[in-house]
Structure formats: C-alpha cells, structure tokens
Amino acid sequence: MKSAHIDLEKGTATLPLRRGQLPNGTPVWFIITDSTDENISDLQGLAYSPKLAFALTGKATRRARIENNGTFTFAAGSVDFKPALSVTPGPANAPFPPKAFQPGSVGDADYTPLVYVENSAKSIIYNAPVVSQASEAELNAMCAGKVDYTKVHDKVAAICPRDGTVTIKMTLGFTFDKPIMYLSTEANDPLVASLENATFTPAMKDMPFALEDASPGESAERIVVVVNGPTGKDNPHRQGLVSALSGEGGPLNVLGGIPTINLDYSPMWRLFPAVWTDEAIQKGYRYRITSALQMAEMAHRGYIKSLDGGEFRAVGFIVNCPVVYRIN
C-alpha cells in the first residue's frame, strides 16, 4: 500500500488521516485503503480491487460526496467507539469459543466502510474505514501518544489530526507461502469483530459470501481462519484461534488473492473456518498452513472440516482486511 509508511519492527502502518462529516455536522475521521479504479488507486497509493464494484448490494455500501475542500460528507452511518473491547477465553483446555466477548466499536445499521462517491464520473467505490468520530480538539490531545479507546478504533496506535496521520496496528498472516501484513478494521459478526479488534458492522451482512472467487457479483475474497491448529508459543507450526486465545500470539490467518499477485483481490474477505479432524491430529498431519491451496488439499483429503463438522466452506462471516505489505 504505497500511501502507508510501514514499520515492520513495530508492526504498524501510518496512513493519511482523512476528514469528513455527517449531514448533522458530526466529524468523521477515516482512512482510505482500496478503490475500484486502477488509475485512481495508482495515483493515490491505494490497493486496486475491481471486485468491490459488486458491493452495491443492500446496505453494504453507503453514499458520500466529496466537497470542494476535499472533505467527505457521508449520507449516513455512524460508529460508537465507547464500548470496551473484551474477550474472555473458555477453559484452558478449550479456550475457543470464548466464554464472553464484546466488540470495542459498533457501527449502526447504516455504517459500512465501503463508500460510493456520488460526484465522481468514474462511479468509484472506496474502502474507507472510520477510525474516530471525536472532535478535532479531542484527537489533537492524543498527538502526544496516549490514545483514548473510547473515542477511537481499537487498532489505532497513534492519531493526530494536526499532523494529518493515523498509525494502525497490522496483523500478520500468510498468502501463497509468504508472510503478509494487513489491517483488520470491520467484521459483520460480533464474535469475529471481537477476535479481530474490529468494528462490528451489521450492514456488511448484505455482501454475498458463497460465490466463486471470479463470479459476477462476488465482491469478497477468501480468508481461512484455523480454529484448532498446533499450539505452543515456541512451536514453529503454531497457528489458530485456540493458540491465540491461549496467549501465544496472533492466529496467523491464511489469505487468498492479494494486490499485484491476483486480479481477484478484495479487502473484503469471506471467512472459511478450518477445524482439523481428530484423525488428522492423531496421525500427526496437523501443521502450520501458509497457503489457501494447502488448505484446499487438506480439506479435499478430509482432514479439515468446518465448525459444524460439515464440509470446509464460507459460513457468512465477512471481515474487512486491507492488505498492506507482503514480505518476500
């Protein structure tokens, strides 16, 4: 993502902090990560995602106008950042699913990060996650470094309207056997949003989730979330939600097509939960998977199932995870 300054040691991306407002004057602070237009993406340092053009479904995309001062006026959609993020794991021998959880931010029925720009001749859709709706003065008070998470997104590491920047914590995963860094900003399910430290966004439920990657109408790509991968903080094969909820590190999700590598990239990912079968575990077949092709092979062999024991598949969860950096 050319518009981002990457700090791999800290695991953060610093992006331009954009300014907008709702019709009632409420401030809206957001980032832009992707667009449906290749030339605009190149010009603005964004990821190009042609599949987002199919996101004009129901409330999955909201409307905005760009004013002559460059700010966005959003037709509707608001985020409440006041809830305190919390995830209480289950017992030590079965930390997933969590006993309790609460997303740290919640969008209303009209909020979505996808924005159709009404006064653009190109009919452009931006991926524009909101990171705060506090006043400029409240956010400038955070320029010194202390972030108030009742007013900003839980992934924000630093924010400063005076400098026009926001620094966001990235998430480590894999794609095509290479490490990848991405942002995680919204999810259409409260449990997934809590696990991802993302904004619970009910409107994203209007996006399709079960079509093939290149099908007309499909606006999302595939992301695999392993549930019961190998555990152990120093285990080189460590992976999955059980490991993450045990305090061993992130879940190390597996992503599909990404910018510059595949035309089917989308920052919206339909989630495929992956559960290793008892047979695979007993035979010692379980390992850290780093590509969607490996996952498909293990599923084809019957060693990976879905949450309900059925076939490995998308189950309706959508997460907004713009790709920032691939480590070669």
Side-chain angles (χ1 to χ4, degrees):
M1 192 181 295
K2 299 290 177 56
S3 61
H5 174 75
I6 311 301
D7 188 326
L8 290 179
E9 290 189 5
K10 293 182 179 178
T12 60
T14 299
L15 294 152
L17 180 62
R18 315 276 180 170
R19 185 187 200 124
Q21 53 277 321
L22 293 173
N24 64 5
T26 299
V28 178
W29 303 92
F30 62 101
I31 58 175
I32 299 178
T33 59
D34 312 80
S35 88
T36 52
D37 184 88
E38 188 171 15
N39 292 329
I40 291 294
S41 293
D42 288 343
L43 180 67
Q44 298 177 2
L46 310 174
Y48 170 48
S49 176
K51 285 170 66 170
L52 282 184
F54 292 121
L56 284 171
T57 54
K59 289 194 170 186
T61 298
R62 58 178 174 157
R63 306 272 171 154
R65 290 183 58 84
I66 302 178
E67 308 297 345
N68 60 8
N69 63 357
T71 64
F72 283 48
T73 298
F74 299 93
S78 188
V79 180
D80 180 7
F81 292 97
K82 292 191 296 294
L85 172 67
S86 66
V87 176
T88 305
N93 63 341
F96 182 86
K99 288 191 296 187
F101 54 88
Q102 169 62 55
S105 48
V106 178
D108 66 14
D110 295 313
Y111 172 70
T112 168
L114 298 182
V115 177
Y116 177 86
V117 179
E118 293 181 330
N119 56 336
S120 166
K122 286 179 173 269
S123 300
I124 194 169
I125 294 177
Y126 280 122
N127 186 20
V130 170
V131 296
S132 181
Q133 291 189 199
S135 69
E136 184 172 359
E138 288 175 309
L139 294 182
N140 276 331
M142 303 180 199
C143 288
K146 187 173 182 181
V147 177
D148 181 351
Y149 288 106
T150 66
K151 295 182 172 65
V152 303
H153 195 287
D154 287 286
K155 283 291 180 72
V156 169
I159 188 167
C160 188
R162 188 169 61 233
D163 296 338
T165 60
V166 58
T167 300
I168 300 178
K169 303 165 195 170
M170 297 187 294
T171 302
L172 175 65
F174 291 97
T175 183
F176 297 101
D177 300 317
K178 299 284 188 180
I180 194 169
M181 306 296 292
Y182 60 93
L183 309 180
S184 185
T185 54
E186 283 89 10
N188 70 348
D189 178 83
L191 172 57
V192 178
S194 301
L195 293 171
E196 291 284 333
N197 296 5
T199 297
F200 171 43
T201 307
M204 284 168 50
K205 292 180 180 178
D206 281 355
M207 299 186 71
F209 70 90
L211 303 178
E212 289 301 315
D213 288 351
S215 294
E218 179 55 75
S219 55
E221 238 297 71
R222 61 180 61 202
I223 184 171
V224 177
V225 178
V226 176
V227 174
N228 61 338
T231 58
K233 192 166 187 177
D234 298 322
N235 182 353
H237 284 290
R238 183 196 75 75
Q239 185 176 44
L241 294 176
V242 170
S243 172
L245 288 168
S246 299
E248 296 175 350
L252 303 174
N253 299 329
V254 181
L255 286 72
I258 63 168
T260 74
I261 303 294
N262 290 77
L263 292 175
D264 59 359
Y265 164 70
S266 171
M268 297 292 167
W269 303 84
R270 58 195 192 280
L271 195 153
F272 286 67
V275 179
W276 287 97
T277 64
D278 291 341
E279 179 187 3
I281 295 171
Q282 290 165 5
K283 290 183 175 180
Y285 294 165
R286 186 171 55 164
Y287 69 105
R288 176 185 289 178
I289 287 182
T290 56
S291 81
L293 296 176
Q294 294 175 26
M295 190 67 70
E297 173 70 10
M298 290 296 101
H300 176 73
R301 291 175 179 270
Y303 297 131
I304 283 178
K305 299 291 186 179
S306 192
L307 285 170
D308 59 0
E311 65 176 286
F312 177 63
R313 67 195 188 280
V315 295
F317 301 146
I318 301 285
V319 292
N320 184 14
C321 296
V323 169
V324 178
Y325 193 86
R326 188 185 192 215
I327 302 171
N328 288 318

